[in-house]
Amino acid sequence: MYVLSTMADHHPPPLDSTPLLSTEIPLLPAPIVNGEGAQQVIVVHVNPGETFTIRREDGQFQYFAGPADVPMMSPNGSVPQIYLPPGYAQQVIEDNGVRRVIVVPHTPEFHTSSHTVIHRPPPPLPSFIPVPAMMPPPPRHIYSPVTGAGDIASQYTPQYHSSQVYGEMDGLSPHGRSNLRDERSSKIHERLQKKLKDRHGVQKDKLNSPPFSPKKSTSPISESNGLIKGQNTVGISTGQSKNKHKGKASSPVEEETKEKDEETKALEARLSNISRPEVSDIQARTVVLTWTPPSSAISEGSDGTSTPEIYTYEILIANNGKDGKYKTAYTGEKTSVTVEDMRPATDYHARVKAEMNGVQGNPSEAVSFTTMSSEPETPNAPRITNRTKNSLTVQWKASCDNGSKIHSYLLEWDEGKGTNEFCQCYYGLQKQFRVTKLSPAMGYTFRLAAKNDMGMSGFSEEVLFYTSGSAPTVPASPTLIKAGITWLSVQWTKPSGTPSDEGISYILEMEDETSGYGFKPKYNGDDLAYTVKNLRRCTKYKFRVIAYNSEGKSSPSEVVEFVTCPDKPGAPQRPSVKGKIHAQNFRIVWDPPKDNGGATVTKYFVEMSEDSNGFRWDVVYSGAAREYLCDQLSPGCTYRLRVYCSSDGGQSPVSDTLVVQTPAVFPGPCQPPRVQGKPKARDVQLRWVPPLMDGGSPVTHYSLEMSSPNVGDHREVYQGSEVECTVSSLLPGKVYSFRLRAANKAGFGPFSEKCDVTTAPGPPDQCKPPQITCKSATCALIHWEAPNNHGADITEYRVEWGGMEGCMTTCYCGPGFSYEMKGLSPAIVYYCRVQAVNIAGSGHFSEVVACLTPASVPAVVTSLWEMKEEEIDFAHYCPSTCLAIQWEKPCDHGSEIIGYSIDYGDKQTITVGKVLSYILDHLQPDTTYRIRVQALNSLGCGPFSHSVKLKTKPLPPDPPRLECAVYSHQNLKLKWGDGASRALPADSIQYHLHMEDKNGKFVSLYRGPCHTYKVQRLNESTSYRFRIQACNEAGEGPLSSEYVFTTPKSLPPGLKAPRIDRINEHSCEVTWESLPPMKGDPVIYVLQMMSGKDSDFKQIYKGPGTSLRYSALQLNCEYRFRVCAIRQCQDAAGPQDLIGPYSATVLFISHRSEQQTCTSKDTVETTRTARTLSDEQCAAVILVLFAIFSILIAFIIQYFVIK
């Protein structure tokens, strides 16, 4: 068979100087599929525009047009001689166990204008035939791996890492992909061409024209979303197309957005059409990968010029199979890269991914290759397994062979010379060696290397081993690490001159002088430290150590003495009081402990606690004495004292506690009483606080004395236990002096300083009717006169003004006698009245005065909105250039409205007649306008209305800020945007609210125009994640960031009214219902009482109990009780109490014993509070009523109509 390579449409002239294909390339034979023997595979690469010609066995020629890869098989296993044309070279690629020889040109490009390469056919090779099954038609060639059987040479049988085998290989030439498109790109291109034809009215013959290539256009271009606009490509509408489709429903902005999306998809499809990389120059740790840019399908301009396109490539490599995890090996703009740091003899898969203008394509198909074998890895240092005086046995482990089996190891040593000169000690395949004829107690240095067919590895780390010697020398004396009460921890060192790797054992001996047995062994082993236990406290012991090995024992070391530590002493005796206990001091004494722990007590410590529970103790004395004077104490207080001591053995336990209470004294002076609220004209309410010093006994009652301005003597006006009182029967505007003193069981204390109080004056008289003068249609002047002030200067006047006589508001407060009222409405009747105020109070209002304002310009237009499209009756209305507005008729202020003026920005004003709607046209698309309207009458122009922002063709809005307006333990009311809670009907923006479910996915919660939403049926104290997006006629906007809101814990429910049972005349028992713990949180209760004419409830109990016995009742007095529950929560920030609602109030009246015969029990009245239904209960009631009503209607229809 002849192998020819000729150009298309040319005859092959002979060339005698064509080079031969190298036959020294090692090929991997493998068993053929049909089992007919071994075979070799040669793949002949045919470039685009070339034709590969072979002569079959029957003498006929067969032609293969490029691009193509033609595989050749050799049944006998020999390498054929194939002649290479000039400018071609051979390249070896190994794929799935088949080593392929590819004939490729030197240059990356092929020019059809160059001379035809023709070579002379070689001698006939009838044994080589092309494989028809392996030559599918171009452009894509899929070849199955050709396998054969036979033995493989040892140098070509590396230990490859496990890899996945694939039976397909893409043989498409990189030179042929630049003019081809895959099926997906072709379909997209045809679809875009069809749309462009329909839009521009292109003739039918243009549809069959070839696709545009990526060329530049002479028109200005602009970039959007990584695509080029302005080119002669499909999917981009021009100005003419916009004018033709102006009347259609779809807007040019939406069409342009769709075209951009289609361009992005087309670019992504083109980037995904990248060929897989080609592998060359495979080494042990490097490989060269080359690839071609993606094929360009629709980027040709009208002038035929090429557009330079810059791609960014990313090389992905995996070594654990084709579907394994890929890692990035290179990122850049080059089309050829050398990948380094690879493992030898390892199966790899590589693929390439392209990116342009922020758009990424899919990765290409993976190409597999295997790195070459190399020399072994550097082995670990050898280790010693046995030693004698004259021999050393070393052993080592095998290192990684890097794809080629290790056939020998090289062990070198320095022969004990201590220099860096090494010589061979062993060379072979064994993994251990025994070195003999050595000197005793001498060190030898070794190092190791491994060797395979690829070469020798580096040497391992150098290690030093010693041979055995004589018996050890005398070791040093042991030293003390740490001493305890019943143990001693000692350590020792190796004898001097002992090799570091020689195994030496030790014997630790101890002598107890009190036993009389001499030294006895306590430890025998290889460690250099030991702890001797079960010793006596504060006792001296002697130690020595002996070293030994296989050759014998050493002499004992020098004897050392160590002493154990003493124990801590026992607790001292409980202290006692010496002498008399005074109000501010007393003296205590104590005895030493019975057991001092083996050491003398050096110091005593006295601790004192003022806490009744004894939780906090303070050291008040430390010293060697056993007596202490406790001074600077408070009278009437209880003190706890205890004593402990310390010695060299530690600190003793504390003694028993001594409790001492100092006697009480008179209370200290009180602070002057202060006025509660403002003084009145006839009475004064005073309040005070207990004295700072109660003398050690609680204050039982107070005495309040007063001196009048006419009488200088003080007289007592109050005596009792309360801290407030009201002094009545006083004169207004007078000064009174008060002083206070407190008393306890020891007697009355000193008086406080005086407190002077002045009573208040009276309120002023009624003012006269004010005088009103209208200055204009919106302004009026009010004037009034001052009334009698009743002994106090008038501080201010209050003027009330309103449009109705019974509904007026305060418009002025001040000391003046006139006020100018502005901002009035024309042709309206207003009412006014005046009131005088001084420090005593407010006088009566004056009589009401009416006033009528004159007519004026029209009022402001209060309501202005945009009309809906279905409400517009205008044939030429276009939402992109027109805005339809409507407004309500304002008040004419007494003069008829004759027209309106519309201002929509940039000083553009339009005047219309008496209409309430208008359409603004000739506006800019996608532009926001501020529109306002004013009314006109015969008196002039009224004020402009509020500005309304209207936009033509708005883009999708940004997501609003999400806030939690109201929250409870089961509900969250979310709020977003700046609008009201309910959106107007003309609001075109819709909101889409998402919430994260239990699986971590966001689900739709609400979709509508409202700005609030209430999320119900939530769990208490739980965090929920939300996000929101806004939508309008242009589409859906982006999603917002995640918001996290947490529900609080629920309050405890309200309790029923407590129950009261009388026990006797002065005591009763109050009981109430109990609540279970709320999700692990305990519940306590607070009981409050209000007695007599008191206006405030007072707390009389707080705790977990559900009953209380109250023993301070007074006869014939009313008592009111109520109770509430408190939930005690333990949060991360600390404890927190959640107080529930109070129960209904219960009235209890205590009677004398004689009245019990008339009534069976005391009067108990329960004041029930109005009960309100929740939202769920109201819904349930409505549902039940609706069901009953439906059943009734059905019954009536059945009975009266049907029958």
Side-chain angles (χ1 to χ4, degrees), residues 195-255:
K195 290 184 179 180
L196 185 61
K197 176 185 175 182
D198 296 338
R199 185 173 305 158
H200 294 280
V202 181
Q203 299 299 330
K204 185 177 180 180
D205 53 15
K206 291 186 179 181
L207 182 62
N208 300 324
S209 61
F212 299 107
S213 60
K215 307 294 181 179
K216 283 189 176 180
S217 177
T218 57
S219 61
I221 63 173
S222 60
E223 294 185 5
S224 176
N225 297 332
L227 300 177
I228 299 178
K229 297 169 56 178
Q231 297 180 356
N232 190 12
T233 59
V234 297
I236 302 177
S237 61
T238 62
Q240 297 178 358
S241 64
K242 289 183 180 179
N243 295 331
K244 292 181 180 180
H245 294 76
K246 183 176 181 181
K248 293 186 180 180
S250 60
S251 64
V253 178
E254 295 179 352
E255 292 178 0

Side-chain angles (χ1 to χ4, degrees), residues 177-178 180 267 269-275 291-297 309 311 313 354-355:
R177 285 191 179 269
S178 60
L180 299 176
L267 179 58
R270 180 155 58 97
L271 295 177
S272 303
N273 193 21
I274 188 171
S275 61
W291 60 93
T292 57
S295 61
S296 178
E309 297 178 343
Y311 298 94
Y313 304 98
E355 179 183 353

Side-chain angles (χ1 to χ4, degrees), residues 264-301:
T264 303
K265 294 179 181 178
L267 179 58
E268 183 178 356
R270 180 155 58 97
L271 295 177
S272 303
N273 193 21
I274 188 171
S275 61
R276 66 179 182 179
E278 294 185 357
V279 184
S280 62
D281 193 13
I282 302 176
Q283 302 296 332
R285 289 180 171 82
T286 61
V287 67
V288 177
L289 298 178
T290 307
W291 60 93
T292 57
S295 61
S296 178
I298 51 172
S299 60
E300 181 177 350

Side-chain angles (χ1 to χ4, degrees), residues 643-721:
V643 182
Y644 65 91
C645 59
S646 64
S647 65
D648 295 340
Q651 178 179 308
S652 71
V654 296
S655 65
D656 295 338
T657 303
L658 172 66
V659 181
V660 179
Q661 184 175 6
T662 56
V665 296
F666 299 136
C670 298
Q671 295 292 332
R674 63 180 184 275
V675 179
Q676 186 73 10
K678 293 183 179 181
K680 298 181 180 179
R682 295 293 180 180
D683 54 45
V684 175
Q685 186 177 5
L686 300 177
R687 186 178 180 86
W688 55 87
V689 296
L692 298 178
M693 298 180 60
D694 58 358
S697 177
V699 175
T700 58
H701 56 280
Y702 301 91
S703 176
L704 179 65
E705 294 184 356
M706 180 190 70
S707 63
S708 60
N710 299 329
V711 182
D713 297 338
H714 289 78
R715 61 185 181 88
E716 187 177 60
V717 294
Y718 172 78
Q719 183 174 357
S721 60

Side-chain angles (χ1 to χ4, degrees), residues 285-508:
R285 289 180 171 82
T286 61
V287 67
V288 177
L289 298 178
T290 307
W291 60 93
T292 57
S295 61
S296 178
I298 51 172
S299 60
E300 181 177 350
S302 60
D303 56 353
T305 59
S306 300
T307 302
E309 297 178 343
I310 300 177
Y311 298 94
T312 302
Y313 304 98
E314 183 178 2
I315 293 296
L316 306 174
I317 292 182
N319 60 353
N320 52 357
K322 185 175 181 180
D323 298 331
K325 183 178 180 181
Y326 284 83
K327 296 182 180 179
T328 302
Y330 166 77
T331 302
E333 300 177 358
K334 297 180 180 180
T335 57
S336 179
V337 66
T338 301
V339 183
E340 300 178 351
D341 299 331
M342 307 191 75
R343 291 190 302 179
T346 305
D347 295 336
Y348 285 94
H349 292 78
R351 56 185 183 182
V352 64
K353 181 169 64 174
E355 179 183 353
M356 179 181 179
N357 295 332
V359 179
Q360 288 187 355
N362 297 328
S364 67
E365 297 181 2
V367 60
S368 61
F369 60 91
T370 304
T371 53
M372 305 294 292
S373 302
S374 67
E375 66 276 0
E377 298 289 341
T378 302
N380 295 328
R383 58 186 180 89
I384 189 168
T385 58
N386 188 20
R387 84 174 79 231
T388 63
K389 289 183 178 181
N390 305 107
S391 67
L392 291 173
T393 303
V394 294
Q395 188 179 9
W396 57 88
K397 294 183 178 180
S399 61
C400 181
D401 57 6
N402 285 340
S404 180
K405 185 177 180 181
I406 298 176
H407 56 72
S408 60
Y409 294 93
L410 175 61
L411 180 66
E412 293 185 352
W413 67 324
D414 64 348
E415 299 180 347
K417 298 178 181 180
T419 61
N420 291 331
E421 297 179 359
F422 289 85
C423 60
Q424 178 175 331
C425 178
Y426 167 76
Y427 183 81
L429 192 57
Q430 301 295 328
K431 296 181 182 178
Q432 66 177 6
F433 181 69
R434 182 180 182 186
V435 187
T436 59
K437 299 180 181 180
L438 305 179
S439 301
M442 188 172 180
Y444 297 89
T445 305
F446 295 89
R447 66 181 185 181
L448 180 67
K451 185 177 182 182
N452 61 4
D453 294 336
M454 298 299 170
M456 180 77 71
S457 71
F459 282 98
S460 66
E461 296 181 0
E462 300 175 0
V463 290
L464 178 63
F465 300 133
Y466 287 88
T467 56
S468 300
S470 58
T473 59
V474 178
S477 300
T479 58
L480 180 65
I481 300 176
K482 190 175 182 181
I485 300 174
T486 60
W487 52 271
L488 291 171
S489 181
V490 296
Q491 66 179 1
W492 55 90
T493 59
K494 283 187 175 183
S496 59
T498 303
S500 60
D501 60 339
E502 183 178 356
I504 298 178
S505 301
Y506 305 91
I507 300 175
L508 179 65

